[in-house]
């Protein structure tokens, strides 16, 4: 199954940089929800088993959050997936 990456929602990316604790309308949670399926599908297409792809996807999002990668995302540089 091929999943397409969503079009970058830059206001959502900017809002997810906030350090406000998670809530029901947490923009970072929404960003992860949108990107989880295509990231995991990409890893499956690269040949990883389903359980490996899920672990790698989770690791990717942990890295994204822990290293504050979204702080470096800029609309002028193109799409979020090219970050």
């Amino acid at each position: 199954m091929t999943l397409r990456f969503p079009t970058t929602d830059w206001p959502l990316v900017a809002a997810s940089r906030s350090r406000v604790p998670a809530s029901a309308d947490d923009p970072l949670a929404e960003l992860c929800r949108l990107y989880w399926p295509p990231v995991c599908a990409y890893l499956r297409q690269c040949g990883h088993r389903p359980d490996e792809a899920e672990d790698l996807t989770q690791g990717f999002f942990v890295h994204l959050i822990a290293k504050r990668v979204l702080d470096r995302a800029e609309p002028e540089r193109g799409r979020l997936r090219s970050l």
Side-chain angles (χ1 to χ4, degrees), residues 3-75:
L3 291 174
R4 303 187 89 199
F5 281 86
T7 301
T8 303
D9 180 345
W10 286 108
L12 179 63
V13 172
S16 60
R17 294 175 181 154
S18 142
R19 300 297 170 238
V20 177
S23 65
D25 59 343
D26 181 9
L28 183 57
E30 177 66 10
L31 195 72
C32 292
R33 185 191 68 75
L34 289 172
Y35 278 89
W36 183 283
V39 168
C40 195
Y42 170 77
L43 291 166
R44 291 286 315 276
Q45 289 176 350
C46 288
H48 295 283
R49 293 187 328 260
D51 59 324
E52 289 176 328
E54 289 177 10
D55 288 346
L56 289 168
T57 301
Q58 184 165 345
F60 167 75
F61 285 105
V62 167
H63 173 79
L64 187 86
I65 294 165
K67 298 297 182 182
R68 299 173 66 140
V69 173
L70 293 175
D71 290 351
R72 297 189 304 267
E74 300 173 8

